[in-house]
Amino acid sequence: MVMTKVPLKQGRSLMDWIRLTKSGKDLTGLKGRLIEVTEEELKKHNTKDDCWICIRGFVYNVTPYMEYHPGGEDELMRAAGSDGTDLFDQVHRWVNYESMLKECLVGRMAVKPALPKDYHEEKKVLNGMLPKSQVADTLAKEGCSSPSYDWFQTDSSVTIVIYTKQKDINLDSVIVDHQDDSFRAEILIKDYSYIIHVELSHEIEEDFSVRVVENVGKIEIVLKKKENASWKRLGHPLENHNSLIPRKDTGLYYRKCRLISKEGVTHDTKLFCLMLPPSTHLQVPVGQHVYLKLTITGTEIVKPYTPVSDSLLSEFKEPVLLNNKYIYFLIKIYPAGLFTPELDQLQIGDFVSVSNPEGSFKISQFQELEDLFLLAAGTGFTPMVKILNYALTNIPSLRKVKLMFFNKTEDDIIWRSQLEKLAFKDKRFDVEFVLSAPTSEWNGKWGHISPALLSEFLKRSSDKSKVLICICGPTPFTEQGIRLLRDRNFSKEEIHSFTA
């Protein structure tokens, strides 16, 4: 589901909203009091002039925010007077609403009356975790069984072993962070996260190693002890330890990454390189995005970006060993924006918070693929970078990869020379540039996404070839593109859209 942006009135930007929240104006109508809200009370506040919404047990008066909401009033009204958590998670789970709406907090939802005495303890939901039996039932239907873990030690190391009982686990499925005393490992299993989260009983060195035995789904995380003492236990359990949770309920987990370099790519796009902390293991899977978080004038602002490779051409690649420590982003700087100018102001050595990966793209969509068609507009090119790299390197069945890249002018084309070199080097790959505002010297294609452009572009290598079409760009481009593809009888399974 994609939030469609609506034009905001003058003076209703995100920066204007931040100024209003800092003005001292009473935005809740309760003069600073926090109240306990019953379901009956929440239901009463369901109009544009009086709109309360509950998100994760907290109730906000979003009436003053209506005119500032990029998705428009109608989007907010869908949750008026009710629990909007699910809706919020579908559309903008990444938004830091606690920070954005803290001045609108009315209070907590009242806790429901206690359950009858014969209600069994083990059926309670702990830390947002489904009761074990429910999880087991859901996973059993999906062909999974519940993971478990164990640990053992030598004089110098501690090894945590996680048994996922899955065959398709790889290093992309494992995220490990050691921050202060907190050790957190998250294993991505289908639509669930299995979490190990403890405050370690002794100190460890910054670096650790992660190994996956893929055919049995076993993960080994080896920690180096700072002292050769014997550990009596691994540590104190922290939130969600040893639990299996639907991924949509885990919340976003961030770590601070250091800015290593930034270089101009076009007149308004830059390639940023961030380095993960030594105490983090994180590999963003192909086709997935992360969220970058900055604090701007005291408010945490979060934006989604898709990591790219440092280059399209393998001769520029760094040694494989180093590659996993760096994350690259191609980011367009909007001078009148709030987030990107702040990002651009960062000095080398400054920090940006980076979240765990998210996204619905699955590598299995490449299985036995013969034709891959990519439609990108502007920075909608970013998901295509890793997809191109991965497909051309790892899919033996692939016969043809075509990219149609839409931009305003020639100056806007990201990595044009690299794309042309790649097309020259790999005969399976072909790129076509389409401009909407070309100069008179332009000899190539021009216009917007249309049936005429697509009919020529979408030629299969054979009548029955297995096809995947990936599309990404501004919302109107993507929506129009999907309509045109469906008109040409491509199935839902053959089309994957990314949100730009």
Side-chain angles (χ1 to χ4, degrees):
M1 181 167 174
V2 178
M3 180 183 82
T4 307
K5 287 194 174 181
V6 298
L8 296 169
K9 289 182 199 159
Q10 193 68 33
R12 293 292 181 271
S13 70
L14 180 54
M15 196 66 221
D16 293 314
W17 170 250
I18 291 171
R19 279 192 204 104
L20 178 62
T21 64
K22 304 255 183 294
S23 67
K25 193 175 174 190
D26 177 18
L27 299 182
T28 62
L30 297 171
K31 299 186 172 62
R33 283 182 305 125
L34 288 179
I35 62 169
E36 202 171 50
V37 183
T38 61
E39 273 185 40
E40 294 70 38
E41 181 66 29
L42 180 63
K43 279 177 192 160
K44 290 177 195 167
H45 302 270
N46 63 355
T47 65
K48 279 187 183 173
D49 301 326
D50 179 17
C51 180
W52 289 9
I53 291 176
C54 172
I55 306 174
R56 292 195 175 82
F58 289 94
V59 178
Y60 298 90
N61 179 357
V62 296
T63 319
Y65 183 57
M66 283 279 176
E67 292 187 335
Y68 297 84
H69 185 239
E73 294 180 353
D74 294 346
E75 188 73 55
L76 279 179
M77 286 305 295
R78 289 170 64 194
S82 66
D83 190 323
T85 307
D86 286 348
L87 185 69
F88 181 87
D89 282 346
Q90 284 170 20
V91 183
H92 26 29
R93 131 179 169 75
W94 49 273
V95 171
N96 203 313
Y97 65 90
E98 297 103 326
S99 184
M100 292 271 292
L101 298 176
K102 63 182 175 224
E103 300 305 325
C104 300
L105 180 64
V106 169
R108 269 181 192 273
M109 283 301 287
V111 179
K112 295 218 179 89
L115 292 152
K117 283 213 172 85
D118 59 355
Y119 186 80
H120 293 303
E121 190 70 23
E122 67 267 22
K123 285 193 184 163
K124 281 188 185 163
V125 176
L126 294 171
N127 292 332
M129 179 187 159
L130 284 167
K132 271 277 195 277
S133 58
Q134 255 177 280
V135 172
D137 292 351
T138 314
L139 283 176
K141 279 181 205 148
E142 294 175 16
C144 303
S145 50
S146 212
S148 60
Y149 83 101
D150 202 350
W151 68 281
F152 59 86
Q153 61 184 317
T154 66
D155 284 347
S156 59
S157 69
V158 168
T159 302
I160 299 168
V161 185
I162 298 161
Y163 306 95
T164 67
K165 308 178 180 89
Q166 300 300 304
K167 284 209 164 70
D168 53 358
I169 294 292
N170 56 35
L171 283 171
D172 287 359
S173 319
V174 185
I175 303 164
V176 184
D177 288 279
H178 177 234
Q179 299 188 32
D180 303 321
D181 293 333
S182 156
F183 175 86
R184 187 180 188 277
E186 183 170 343
I187 318 301
L188 310 177
I189 304 172
K190 296 188 165 58
D191 294 326
Y192 292 86
S193 285
Y194 176 64
I195 295 172
I196 300 290
H197 194 191
V198 292
E199 183 185 325
L200 295 172
S201 59
H202 292 68
E203 289 188 9
I204 59 167
E205 302 289 353
E206 271 191 334
D207 57 326
F208 49 77
S209 64
V210 179
R211 179 169 163 263
V212 173
V213 186
E214 292 189 21
N215 56 350
V216 292
K218 184 170 84 165
I219 296 158
E220 292 178 355
I221 305 166
V222 182
L223 315 176
K224 295 178 195 162
K225 294 178 177 178
K226 268 202 171 163
E227 294 171 357
N228 286 3
S230 174
W231 292 22
K232 297 213 167 25
R233 58 198 171 105
L234 187 59
H236 273 301
L238 295 172
E239 187 188 11
N240 291 333
H241 174 58
N242 194 20
S243 64
L244 190 68
I245 303 174
R247 278 179 74 180
K248 65 183 177 61
D249 297 339
T250 56
L252 289 169
Y253 191 83
Y254 288 88
R255 72 279 304 146
K256 284 192 165 154
C257 296
R258 190 187 291 274
L259 178 63
I260 296 298
S261 65
K262 57 177 170 176
E263 57 188 68
V265 174
T266 70
H267 64 102
D268 61 358
T269 305
K270 294 190 177 177
L271 181 67
F272 289 79
C273 173
L274 299 178
M275 186 168 76
L276 290 163
S279 50
T280 289
H281 167 88
L282 168 66
Q283 290 177 201
V284 181
V286 173
Q288 299 212 355
H289 57 269
V290 295
Y291 298 97
L292 301 187
K293 179 167 74 175
L294 289 173
T295 300
I296 301 173
T297 64
T299 301
E300 287 184 337
I301 307 293
V302 181
K303 294 280 175 190
Y305 291 100
T306 304
V308 297
S309 318
D310 56 324
S311 153
L312 278 172
L313 303 162
S314 52
E315 60 257 36
F316 297 143
K317 282 254 157 72
E318 293 159 335
V320 171
L321 286 172
L322 289 174
N323 247 355
N324 295 337
K325 277 291 164 199
Y326 298 110
I327 308 184
Y328 295 88
F329 299 93
L330 280 166
I331 296 175
K332 183 175 176 177
I333 310 299
Y334 294 90
L338 179 66
F339 192 84
T340 57
E342 200 75 22
L343 197 61
D344 197 28
Q345 289 296 311
L346 293 177
Q347 302 300 306
I348 303 304
D350 285 349
F351 288 93
V352 182
S353 292
V354 177
S355 79
N356 282 3
E358 292 215 324
S360 58
F361 188 84
K362 293 194 167 48
I363 221 85
S364 56
Q365 289 168 261
F366 286 141
Q367 267 172 7
E368 287 157 24
L369 191 65
E370 291 163 278
D371 294 329
L372 176 61
F373 297 108
L374 309 174
L375 294 162
T379 48
F381 170 63
T382 56
M384 309 309 174
V385 174
K386 281 193 170 183
I387 282 174
L388 259 177
N389 264 327
Y390 184 88
L392 290 170
T393 312
N394 298 296
I395 310 301
S397 54
L398 201 63
R399 292 181 193 162
K400 188 193 285 185
V401 183
K402 287 177 83 176
L403 167 67
M404 187 173 269
F405 193 2
F406 293 78
N407 284 282
K408 217 172 189 175
T409 68
E410 279 187 83
D411 288 345
D412 295 317
I413 302 173
I414 297 168
W415 283 355
R416 179 180 179 175
S417 65
Q418 285 198 39
L419 286 163
E420 288 170 341
K421 273 184 197 161
L422 186 62
F424 179 75
K425 212 176 109 175
D426 194 320
K427 296 299 171 222
R428 294 169 299 167
F429 176 60
D430 188 29
V431 60
E432 294 177 16
F433 301 112
V434 183
L435 301 182
S436 60
T439 60
S440 53
E441 287 89 63
W442 177 250
N443 303 323
K445 292 186 164 68
W446 61 279
H448 296 277
I449 194 165
S450 65
L453 281 173
L454 290 186
S455 65
E456 203 183 318
F457 176 70
L458 295 167
K459 290 210 170 96
R460 297 171 181 252
S461 56
S462 67
D463 288 348
K464 294 266 188 322
S465 65
K466 186 175 175 194
V467 169
L468 177 65
I469 305 166
C470 295
I471 183 166
C472 186
T475 307
F477 168 85
T478 305
E479 287 175 349
Q480 171 70 351
I482 291 170
R483 269 196 299 275
L484 294 173
L485 293 170
R486 296 310 300 273
D487 289 348
R488 293 183 63 84
N489 296 321
F490 287 102
S491 70
K492 274 186 177 171
E493 290 68 41
E494 292 174 321
I495 304 167
H496 187 94
S497 68
F498 297 91
T499 51

